[in-house]
Every structure is written in C-alpha cells, then in structure tokens.
C-alpha cells in the first residue's frame, strides 16, 4: 500500500491490493502531508476490515445456536430462535458486518410498535449475540450498543391470596399436583426447578432443599441455592417419601409416572385450568405462585435481600418489584408529614 500522484490529477492516490486485485483510491488531498495522514487512517480501517470474517447473518445464527445448545437452558434457546427468526424476516440475510445502526433501529422501532415487551426481549437478546460476534471478529462494532433500550411499563406482580390458594388446592384432583402446588407456594421455586426436584436435594436433618445443577438441569442463574423447609412443606414431603427408594435418592419427588420427569407445560396448563374453572383472576399463572411466595415474605417484613437469595435472583433490582408491598414502611414514611400540618 503506497501513495502516488498522477501528473494529470490534482490529488494523491492510494494504491493497494484487495484480494489480489490492484485497486486505486483517491485521497482527495493535494499536499503530501495531508495524503500521508489519510493513508495512515485508511491503513487502520483496512486492517480492521481484514480482521472481520465475512459471514452472513444466517450462517452466524446457525453457528451461535450450536454454540448455545451446551450453554443455555431450553427456554433460552427457544427465545433465541424466535428472536433470530423475527430479525431475519425483517432484514433478510445480509453480511453480518453490513448490519448497521439504521437497520437495527428500524427493527427495534417496528417491533416496539407491535409489542414493547417483545422489542425489549429482541434488543437484549440480539445485543448479547452481537457482542459474541464482536469477540469472534465477525464485526468491529456492535450496532445495538448505539441505540437505546426500549422502555417498557413496569407492572406490579400479581399474587394469590391465601384463601384463593386454599381453594385451588381443594379443587386439584391429582394429589401429586396439589402437593407440587403447595411446595411451590412455600418455596418460590421456578417450574423448571420443581419438576427436576429429587430426593437427593432434600436434607431432612438440616431441614433444607438445595437447588442443584446437573447434566440434565441448570438453574437460571447457574448458581445453586438453599431453601429452608417449613412445617407445611415438611408434611407434604413426608407424605410423598417412598417406602423403598434408590440408595442414591436420584428419584423425582413429583411425577405422573414414576421415574419420568413432568413437563412444565403440563403443570402450567393444569394450574391454569383449575384457576379458570374457579373463575379466579385471569392473570393467574403457575409463575404467579412464585410471586405469591415473595409477596407473602415481604408483607411479613422479610428483608428484600433475603427474598432475593431465596428466589435465586442474580440482581437485587429484580427483587425490588416487591418493595411496594412493605406497606408499614410506606405508612410510616407518609405519617412523618403530620408534623408539617399546623
């Protein structure tokens, strides 16, 4: 790569080889000093482009999904596939490095017009995947880093009062499901955690459950955590404890067919079916039981940090959605204004 100045032209030119093809480009500089500065900048940009591996979006999508299969939970993989498909439908299959701010901004804006939550999910998912493309030298900048995250309305979590939960249990015909619901209500465990719950996770001497990672299951945060067993849960577990058990205790606690793990959809759909039969709040879902566990603790004055640890949240900000339930704190704060009244 070097500079040259044709006799019949006013500007200096850069001569270089791109994929063995001799190419010439004008610097639009009339003095050599200006042309040398242009050449330095051009060299740097040219090197960056050479570092980028030319790959299409579809090829990157395929490679990233293979990479993700051994690292993420099935629900995360499903979310990735949905997001990738939406993005591909909107932009086609360009080279990855040609996806710029304008393209991603239009995609996020159009998605936001349909659904704010969907736009937020797409933004977070694609931003993370493009950061990986950056690490793999497929791109030199992440276009998602230069646009603002979509704002979504923060809704207060719905929770099930004790009397309504008792009604749900009373109308649950299958014993293993009623026991599962009670366990969820007293532990705040996620659906994926509770269907994977094994006797080897239970320590009756210490009165604790340890949510464990294994080859077939991984917690959302990737971390194991401990949940104490209260008296209500203890009764349920004692009832379910088998007379004959594998020495390793590697058996599921909740099952429809012994030895076979339950399906999350099966549990969720049965819970929803019961709620609808009783004409309860349409917003009730199985995950609402987890919200109810947290809400009950907060209303009993349990510190948010402890609630965070019990729920397995990686960030206290996630747990703070329950802070509005500390009514005594709110009442106390407002009552302090009384002294200002003459």
């Amino acid at each position: 790569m070097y500079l040259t100045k044709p006799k019949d032209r006013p500007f200096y030119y850069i001569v270089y080889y791109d994929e063995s093809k001799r190419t010439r480009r004008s610097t639009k500089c009339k003095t050599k000093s200006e042309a040398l500065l242009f050449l330095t900048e051009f060299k740097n940009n040219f090197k960056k482009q050479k570092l980028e591996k030319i790959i299409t979006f579809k090829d990157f999508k395929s490679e990233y999904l293979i990479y993700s299969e051994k690292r993420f939970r099935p629900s995360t993989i499903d979310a990735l596939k949905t997001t990738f498909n939406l993005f591909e439908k909107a932009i086609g299959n360009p080279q990855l490095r040609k996806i710029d701010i304008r393209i991603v901004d239009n995609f996020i804006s159009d998605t936001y017009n349909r659904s704010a939550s969907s736009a937020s999910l797409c933004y977070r998912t694609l931003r993370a995947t493009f950061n990986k493309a950056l690490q793999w030298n497929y791109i030199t900048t992440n276009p998602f880093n230069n646009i603002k995250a979509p704002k979504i309305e923060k809704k207060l979590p719905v929770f099930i009062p004790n009397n309504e939960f008792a009604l749900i249990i009373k109308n649950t015909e299958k014993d293993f499901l009623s026991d599962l619901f009670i366990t969820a209500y007293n532990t705040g465990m996620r659906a994926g955690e509770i269907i994977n719950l094994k006797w080897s996770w239970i320590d009756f001497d210490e009165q604790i459950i340890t949510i464990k990672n294994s080859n077939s299951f991984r917690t959302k945060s990737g971390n194991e955590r401990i949940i104490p067993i209260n008296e209500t849960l203890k009764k349920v577990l004692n009832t379910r404890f088998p007379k004959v058990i594998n020495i390793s205790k590697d058996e599921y606690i909740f099952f429809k067919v012994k030895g076979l793990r339950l399906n999350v959809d099966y549990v969720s759909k049965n819970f929803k079916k019961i709620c609808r039969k009783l004409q309860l709040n349409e917003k009730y879902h199985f995950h609402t039981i987890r919200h109810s566990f947290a809400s009950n603790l907060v209303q009993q004055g349990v510190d948010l940090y402890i609630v965070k640890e019990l729920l397995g949240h990686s960030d206290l900000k996630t747990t703070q959605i329950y802070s509005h339930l500390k009514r005594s704190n709110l009442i106390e704060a407002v009552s302090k204004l009384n002294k200002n009244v003459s």
Side-chain angles (χ1 to χ4, degrees), residues 199 204 231-242:
W199 289 111
F204 282 106
E231 285 302 314
T232 302
L233 180 56
K234 185 178 178 181
K235 289 178 183 178
V236 169
L237 294 176
N238 283 335
T239 301
R240 296 199 61 79
F241 196 80

Side-chain angles (χ1 to χ4, degrees), residues 32-286:
K32 190 171 185 179
S33 59
E34 290 176 333
L36 285 169
L37 288 174
F38 185 93
L39 176 63
T40 301
E41 185 177 350
F42 184 82
K43 278 182 177 179
N44 290 334
N45 290 333
F46 188 78
K47 285 178 181 178
K48 284 182 180 179
Q49 289 180 2
K50 284 298 180 184
L51 284 173
E52 293 179 32
K53 300 172 185 176
I54 298 174
I55 185 173
T56 65
F57 175 72
K58 284 182 73 172
D59 288 339
F60 171 69
K61 178 183 78 170
S62 299
E63 184 177 356
Y64 190 85
L65 287 173
I66 292 169
Y67 162 83
S68 303
E69 281 176 0
K70 295 180 180 178
R71 291 168 175 82
F72 303 137
R73 296 177 302 125
S75 57
T76 304
I77 302 295
D78 289 341
L80 273 172
K81 289 178 179 178
T82 300
T83 301
F84 276 147
N85 290 340
L86 284 172
F87 195 45
E88 185 180 338
K89 185 178 180 181
I91 70 166
N93 186 34
Q95 289 183 14
L96 202 64
R97 65 183 182 183
K98 291 186 177 179
I99 299 174
D100 55 21
I101 299 172
R102 178 186 58 82
I103 291 173
V104 301
D105 205 5
N106 286 337
F107 170 72
I108 296 298
S109 296
D110 290 343
T111 307
Y112 187 87
N113 290 334
R114 296 192 301 272
S115 167
S117 58
S118 179
S120 178
L121 175 62
C122 287
Y123 173 83
R124 287 183 281 111
T125 303
L126 290 170
R127 184 180 180 183
T129 56
F130 271 68
N131 276 335
K132 183 57 67 176
L134 196 62
Q135 292 177 11
W136 290 348
N137 290 325
Y138 288 156
I139 54 177
T140 54
T141 57
N142 183 345
F144 286 89
N145 288 339
N146 296 308
I147 64 172
K148 291 182 178 179
K151 291 184 178 180
I152 57 174
E153 180 185 355
K154 291 185 178 179
K155 297 180 180 179
L156 298 178
V158 177
F159 62 92
I160 307 169
N162 291 334
N163 63 322
E164 290 190 358
F165 185 73
L167 194 62
I168 291 170
I169 296 303
K170 185 178 179 180
N171 285 271
T172 303
E173 296 177 0
K174 297 180 176 68
D175 289 342
F176 74 91
L177 281 178
S178 62
D179 288 346
L180 186 152
F181 297 159
I182 292 170
T183 301
Y185 200 72
N186 285 273
T187 62
M189 292 170 67
R190 298 180 178 92
E193 294 169 343
I194 207 161
I195 66 167
N196 281 280
L197 184 61
K198 294 181 178 181
W199 289 111
S200 57
W201 294 13
I202 309 296
D203 186 330
F204 282 106
D205 293 331
E206 296 293 331
Q207 298 292 294
I208 58 172
I209 298 172
T210 304
I211 311 295
K212 299 180 180 181
N213 291 312
S214 65
N215 292 332
S216 59
F217 173 74
R218 185 175 177 81
T219 63
K220 187 174 182 180
S221 65
N223 299 320
E224 296 186 352
R225 74 179 189 280
I226 291 173
I227 303 174
I229 298 171
N230 63 15
E231 285 302 314
T232 302
L233 180 56
K234 185 178 178 181
K235 289 178 183 178
V236 169
L237 294 176
N238 283 335
T239 301
R240 296 199 61 79
F241 196 80
K243 293 178 180 178
V244 179
I245 189 169
N246 187 309
I247 192 170
S248 67
K249 297 197 291 188
D250 195 36
E251 297 178 10
Y252 295 115
I253 295 178
F254 303 107
F255 54 84
K256 186 178 179 182
V257 178
K258 189 174 176 62
L260 295 181
R261 183 175 59 186
L262 289 169
N263 182 281
V264 169
D265 285 343
Y266 174 82
V267 173
S268 299
K269 286 176 181 177
N270 272 277
F271 181 78
K272 187 66 178 178
K273 185 179 179 181
I274 296 164
C275 290
R276 282 180 171 161
K277 178 184 176 182
L278 295 170
Q279 297 183 332
L280 299 177
N281 192 331
E282 186 59 29
K283 292 182 180 179
Y284 288 174
H285 298 279
F286 183 79

Side-chain angles (χ1 to χ4, degrees), residues 302-330:
V302 177
D303 185 84
L304 283 177
Y305 182 80
I306 294 174
V307 177
K308 167 189 173 294
E309 294 300 304
L310 290 169
L311 293 175
H313 287 161
S314 56
D315 193 329
L316 186 61
K317 289 180 181 178
T318 309
T319 320
Q320 285 174 338
I321 60 171
Y322 304 105
S323 59
H324 71 288
L325 294 168
K326 286 195 170 185
R327 294 176 184 173
S328 59
N329 291 355
L330 299 177

Side-chain angles (χ1 to χ4, degrees), residues 5-11 13 24:
K5 187 176 184 300
K7 292 180 181 180
D8 58 339
R9 302 290 174 88
F11 302 127
Y13 282 77
R24 190 174 73 166

